Amino acid sequence: MESPDRIEEENGEDEVWELTSQNTKSSSATSNSDRDRRHSSSASASSANTNRDNSPGSNGRRTRPSVASVASGLPTVREMHDRRTSSQASLTVPSSTHISSVSTEETLVSSKNVLTNFQKVAARDPGIEEDRIRKLSRYNTEYLRQKSVYNRLIDWSDGSHRCFRNQLLSPILSSRRRPPLPFKEDLLGLACHYYPARADLKVQVCDFGLGRAERHEITLGQVEEYWQNKPDWVDVRWIHAPLGLGLTHSSVEDIFLHDGQRGREFENGGNAEWPYVETEVLNLRSHKNFQEMRDVYLLLGGFKELQEELDQCSFKNDENSSLQSDVEWRAGHLDMPPSFWTLVASDMPWQLTEGLAMGIRGPMEGLQPISRHIDQQMIATHPFYRDSHMVRNIFRCFHRSDGVLLTLSPMAGVNYIDKKMSQHFSEPTHAIFDNENASAPGYVFQAFADQGTSTWHRRTIEWFLTYLITEVGVTPHACRQGFNAPSIELAYQSVIQDLKRRRHAPWRKNETVKLVRDYLACVDELTTVKQICAKQVSLFKGMQQDVRKFESEDSRARKLPDNPQGETMQARVKWALNMVKQRHDKFENLLIEAQQSMEALFQLRSIEQNELAIVSDSQNKAVLIFTGVTIVFLPLSFFTSYYGMNLSTITNTEKTEAYFWKLCGTIAFIIVLVVALGATRHYLKRLWKGRRRVKHHHSMA
């Protein structure tokens, strides 16, 4: 990812395209330098070197061009499609997803001059886009069906905690009865919809060669074949599996490293105990989808009737030679059951207040207790982020010397923030890779889908790993689409300003407690984000030393760069380091501001309490005088009332005194009973729910 050099509002795209079409027709004799400038990067904060100064790794910054000047060099969608069609026809090897070739002049274009955030330059092939739309349509149909089953499951679960009144009325009124549990087949489908079986997980295989690139979608049950056999034309094969830290994650990485020789180690940027590269990534998930995942996990995880069938389907379609056996051995070694729910628990993203940070050593540390409760994040109070939930995921990279890179991460949220984020949330999590406007890994493939490794400074696995980890590590951000949506930093700034306004609002009962809780939640979130940024700064500082060592080794071995104009690993890491440093400083300032504002709130409330104490003191004096008068006259009132009663009979009526005490005594007893039940209703309610919960657990057992 590189910082945007061009900004274009979506509402002006039609005019830009018209201008693009006209200018393209009138500039048929465009020079090679103009063509390179047309592909210039839209996303590099480090990329100051351009084809104009021929100084790769320069730290300068280009002047931001106007929309008209940008549009004058952009091809239309039809021209892009024709160009791709003609380039595909010139190749003899068919492509399963996307193949294109480049001319000799285009191989000199640096990688940062290929990347762009304009959808028209990185336009999809019409056939690929139509296939993606069909996939989304099928998913929406399936999601609606599973959503119906989910709603029935929630109604059934909520019905187990009905109030006593509904239980009494249920035999009479059908609306008060507990909803029925969905059928077993529906529950099995619901579990596999939110948590696919391990062998059926969608895995992306991306091949990059000179002037071409291909992408395949396979399942985890076929992954061993793809990392054992790499085509000759492929320089780098990248395999991305959506696996979180757990038993399957450990088995996959162990088998992968065992099947080939490891690549050059990132000794400073990698893990202290193991030289692989990892970073913790913040991404945005749909709040509704996140809640549904937790509900399904916790509600269906207790059904023993489903356990056996779910366990059998975990590796039912596994074609690997050793994955299932390795998982079972690892489970026995760690004394963990290799059940369906144990294996899929790693798919659950962590909230900001959950989980451990980078540096987890084993699968047992990666599995955290899961509760149905979801934190109410303060960023969700911002109007733009009201439907989102910020989560954390580990992104790990393992590479071998034969040019195969394996990345493991359950990250399935939005990395690039733009005004269409709500639309991105509606897409299936397993298909987020297809949307390069939302997914950082998906964008990395699309960045080199046309030119392949032609624009790389070095066509090595280390160069691509550096590019990938820096692209993913600096997310989430809003610069991919030209800051057409508020960034996370701006959202938190708005939240803090709103808390300050509430701080000066007139005093209301319980409002101070709510305000302090909101302040504490905001401080906790900012602290977590700041800590993650600090770890990313440490990661990229270490990688700086590693890539400098790699460059020195290549220079001593007299290995010339494959593309001298391409972006170097050092320039790429330097850019990423500057990005995360700026973010760290911003969140540190926001954290200080929130803490100071909370301290000012405590001081303000302390002053208000002192003033209220003065007012209360004067009121206490008045109450004291009233109490003294009451003490004097209360005994007199009692004695006059008592000795003034007629004890022989009730006058002016035929009723006796016994009748009076029966009637008044009964009424008095009922009043006292009602008052006592009302005063202890909360305690009785908790006691009743506790007994019902224990009875339910016994019935399930």
Side-chain angles (χ1 to χ4, degrees):
M1 200 284 318
E2 308 166 11
S3 81
D5 294 322
R6 301 187 290 240
I7 297 180
E8 178 182 19
E9 294 297 330
E10 184 176 347
N11 54 13
E13 287 183 359
D14 296 336
E15 292 83 0
V16 172
W17 279 111
E18 294 176 1
L19 180 60
T20 302
S21 178
Q22 297 173 3
N23 290 334
T24 304
K25 295 179 181 178
S26 62
S27 57
S28 59
T30 305
S31 62
N32 292 337
S33 61
D34 290 335
R35 180 169 60 246
D36 294 347
R37 193 157 51 250
R38 180 174 64 218
H39 291 285
S40 64
S41 166
S42 67
S44 180
S46 76
S47 64
N49 69 332
T50 64
N51 292 335
R52 290 175 291 185
D53 55 14
N54 293 327
S55 57
S58 172
N59 294 328
R61 184 175 177 83
R62 285 197 303 267
T63 303
R64 187 185 302 276
S66 63
V67 174
S69 63
V70 172
S72 62
L74 297 177
T76 62
V77 174
R78 182 174 296 278
E79 289 175 346
M80 288 290 295
H81 178 53
D82 295 340
R83 183 185 304 171
R84 290 176 178 175
T85 304
S86 60
S87 62
Q88 290 176 1
S90 62
L91 298 175
T92 57
V93 181
S95 170
S96 63
T97 304
H98 198 143
I99 303 179
S100 60
S101 62
V102 294
S103 62
T104 305
E105 295 84 353
E106 288 176 326
T107 59
L108 299 178
V109 183
S110 65
S111 63
K112 57 191 170 187
N113 290 338
V114 173
L115 302 184
T116 176
N117 69 333
F118 290 110
Q119 298 180 2
K120 48 285 240 188
V121 176
R124 305 175 189 270
D125 184 276
I128 297 178
E129 182 65 17
E130 292 177 0
D131 182 64
R132 178 173 175 271
I133 293 176
R134 286 195 295 269
K135 286 183 179 179
L136 294 179
S137 177
R138 290 195 299 268
Y139 168 79
N140 291 332
T141 303
E142 176 65 16
Y143 174 75
L144 292 177
R145 191 175 71 85
Q146 298 298 338
K147 181 66 174 179
S148 175
V149 179
Y150 168 80
N151 291 334
R152 285 185 285 153
L153 176 64
I154 295 299
D155 293 340
W156 174 85
S157 175
D158 295 341
S160 62
H161 305 295
R162 296 175 301 166
C163 63
F164 181 72
R165 180 182 59 185
N166 289 340
Q167 294 182 356
L168 292 178
L169 296 178
S170 58
I172 304 174
L173 300 176
S174 59
S175 60
R176 302 288 184 175
R177 298 173 186 172
R178 183 180 182 183
L181 182 68
F183 295 112
K184 182 178 180 180
E185 294 76 11
D186 295 335
L187 295 178
L188 290 172
L190 183 66
C192 294
H193 175 77
Y194 285 94
Y195 299 96
R198 298 300 86 183
D200 297 333
L201 276 176
K202 302 298 181 182
V203 176
Q204 305 297 329
V205 179
C206 304
D207 293 333
F208 301 99
L210 186 61
R212 57 185 290 195
E214 294 183 5
R215 182 166 72 89
H216 312 270
E217 185 176 84
I218 63 172
T219 62
L220 189 64
Q222 306 168 323
V223 70
E224 288 188 20
E225 175 186 356
Y226 281 82
W227 70 44
Q228 292 174 353
N229 304 303
K230 188 185 73 169
D232 296 334
W233 66 270
V234 175
D235 294 321
V236 171
R237 166 164 280 187
W238 170 32
I239 302 175
H240 178 69
L243 285 173
L245 299 174
L247 292 174
T248 312
H249 178 286
S250 298
S251 296
V252 168
E253 73 172 67
D254 191 53
I255 297 172
F256 171 78
L257 295 175
H258 183 268
D259 287 346
Q261 185 178 359
R262 297 174 185 171
R264 290 192 286 186
E265 296 179 351
F266 288 81
E267 298 177 352
N268 299 288
N271 190 281
E273 300 178 359
W274 197 263
Y276 57 81
V277 181
E278 70 170 357
T279 183
E280 191 167 9
V281 184
L282 294 172
N283 56 98
L284 297 166
R285 297 288 292 266
S286 168
H287 186 278
K288 179 177 65 174
N289 177 264
F290 191 43
Q291 183 67 68
E292 292 171 358
M293 288 185 64
R294 292 195 166 230
D295 289 340
V296 171
Y297 182 89
L298 294 173
L299 294 178
L300 296 186
F303 282 91
K304 293 187 177 181
E305 298 84 355
L306 308 177
Q307 190 66 48
E308 183 178 355
E309 296 187 32
L310 289 175
D311 292 345
Q312 293 176 356
C313 75
S314 293
F315 293 98
K316 181 179 180 180
N317 299 321
D318 183 29
E319 302 176 7
N320 300 304
S321 59
S322 55
L323 179 58
Q324 182 177 1
S325 59
D326 191 272
V327 170
E328 293 174 350
W329 170 86
R330 201 171 300 270
H333 178 70
L334 298 174
D335 196 20
M336 298 172 61
S339 62
F340 175 87
W341 295 110
T342 301
L343 297 178
V344 303
S346 59
D347 292 354
M348 187 73 66
W350 293 341
Q351 301 186 78
L352 292 181
T353 57
E354 291 179 336
L356 301 175
M358 296 162 53
I360 294 178
R361 294 181 295 274
M364 297 186 68
E365 296 180 359
L367 299 178
Q368 299 294 323
I370 299 175
S371 62
R372 192 173 176 182
H373 170 72
I374 291 183
D375 296 341
Q376 296 298 324
Q377 296 180 346
M378 290 305 300
I379 193 175
T381 60
H382 191 279
F384 182 77
Y385 293 93
R386 63 180 179 273
D387 297 328
S388 62
H389 196 85
M390 190 157 56
V391 297
R392 308 157 50 192
N393 289 113
I394 292 292
F395 190 90
R396 283 184 169 181
C397 304
F398 306 90
H399 65 291
R400 301 192 315 216
S401 59
D402 57 356
V404 182
L405 170 66
L406 173 67
T407 58
L408 302 175
S409 176
M411 178 182 63
V414 174
N415 299 121
Y416 300 138
I417 302 170
D418 68 349
K419 61 184 180 182
K420 296 182 179 180
M421 190 167 66
S422 59
Q423 299 181 16
H424 302 330
F425 286 154
S426 63
E427 298 182 9
T429 55
H430 64 270
I432 197 70
F433 191 95
D434 295 333
N435 188 353
E436 73 272 14
N437 294 322
S439 170
Y443 176 80
V444 170
F445 172 76
Q446 290 296 331
F448 305 111
D450 289 338
Q451 285 79 16
T453 61
S454 303
T455 58
W456 297 11
H457 183 256
R458 294 186 183 275
R459 291 156 48 197
T460 61
I461 189 71
E462 290 80 16
W463 187 95
F464 180 74
L465 188 153
T466 302
Y467 189 95
L468 175 64
I469 199 69
T470 51
E471 176 70 25
V472 173
V474 299
T475 58
H477 55 74
C479 60
R480 174 62 62 208
Q481 297 295 334
F483 296 98
N484 63 357
S487 63
I488 294 178
E489 296 90 333
L490 291 178
Y492 272 111
Q493 181 67 48
S494 176
V495 169
I496 294 176
Q497 295 299 325
D498 182 66
L499 292 176
K500 289 181 177 180
R501 286 192 292 268
R502 292 171 56 189
R503 183 184 64 189
H504 297 290
W507 182 87
R508 289 186 299 174
K509 185 179 179 181
N510 297 329
E511 182 62 24
T512 301
V513 177
K514 296 179 181 178
L515 185 56
V516 171
R517 288 177 178 173
D518 291 343
Y519 264 112
L520 293 175
C522 184
V523 169
D524 289 343
E525 294 173 24
L526 293 174
T527 301
T528 303
V529 176
K530 178 185 169 238
Q531 291 175 350
I532 293 176
C533 292
K535 294 180 181 297
Q536 292 173 342
V537 170
S538 177
L539 165 68
F540 291 131
K541 282 184 177 180
M543 288 189 65
Q544 267 190 328
Q545 304 177 27
D546 293 327
V547 298
R548 190 180 299 116
K549 183 188 69 173
F550 295 159
E551 295 287 354
S552 300
E553 292 176 353
D554 293 338
S555 299
R556 287 195 299 267
R558 296 187 177 183
K559 295 181 180 179
L560 298 178
D562 298 295
N563 179 13
Q565 301 298 325
E567 185 178 18
T568 64
M569 289 187 289
Q570 294 188 44
R572 182 73 186 180
V573 175
K574 183 178 181 180
W575 160 77
L577 180 59
N578 292 335
M579 287 280 290
V580 295
K581 276 185 177 180
Q582 292 177 5
R583 177 181 298 173
H584 177 271
D585 294 341
K586 290 180 180 178
F587 277 101
E588 186 176 24
N589 294 334
L590 289 173
L591 178 59
I592 294 174
E593 184 179 1
Q595 291 174 338
Q596 291 178 347
S597 179
M598 186 169 59
E599 293 176 359
L601 171 65
F602 291 150
Q603 295 176 0
L604 180 61
R605 290 297 183 261
S606 177
I607 296 174
E608 291 178 351
Q609 289 296 327
N610 293 335
E611 293 182 354
L612 291 175
I614 296 174
V615 175
S616 178
D617 184 62
S618 61
Q619 293 177 349
N620 291 337
K621 293 180 180 179
V623 173
L624 180 61
I625 297 174
F626 178 77
T627 303
V629 174
T630 304
I631 292 175
V632 173
F633 288 97
L634 182 61
L636 297 177
S637 300
F638 171 75
F639 285 112
T640 55
S641 300
Y642 180 78
Y643 287 106
M645 289 190 301
N646 188 353
L647 300 179
S648 61
T649 182
I650 302 177
T651 60
N652 300 327
T653 181
E654 298 177 356
K655 305 297 182 180
T656 63
E657 187 175 354
Y659 173 80
F660 169 80
W661 287 112
K662 289 180 182 179
L663 178 62
C664 296
T666 304
I667 295 175
F669 176 77
I670 294 175
I671 293 175
V672 172
L673 180 62
V674 171
V675 171
L677 292 176
T680 59
R681 65 184 184 280
H682 297 293
Y683 172 76
L684 295 176
K685 188 176 181 180
R686 289 195 302 268
L687 182 63
W688 176 260
K689 287 185 176 181
R691 295 183 60 184
R692 293 288 299 175
R693 193 178 296 110
V694 171
K695 185 177 179 180
H696 175 70
H697 288 325
H698 285 314
S699 62
M700 293 295 297

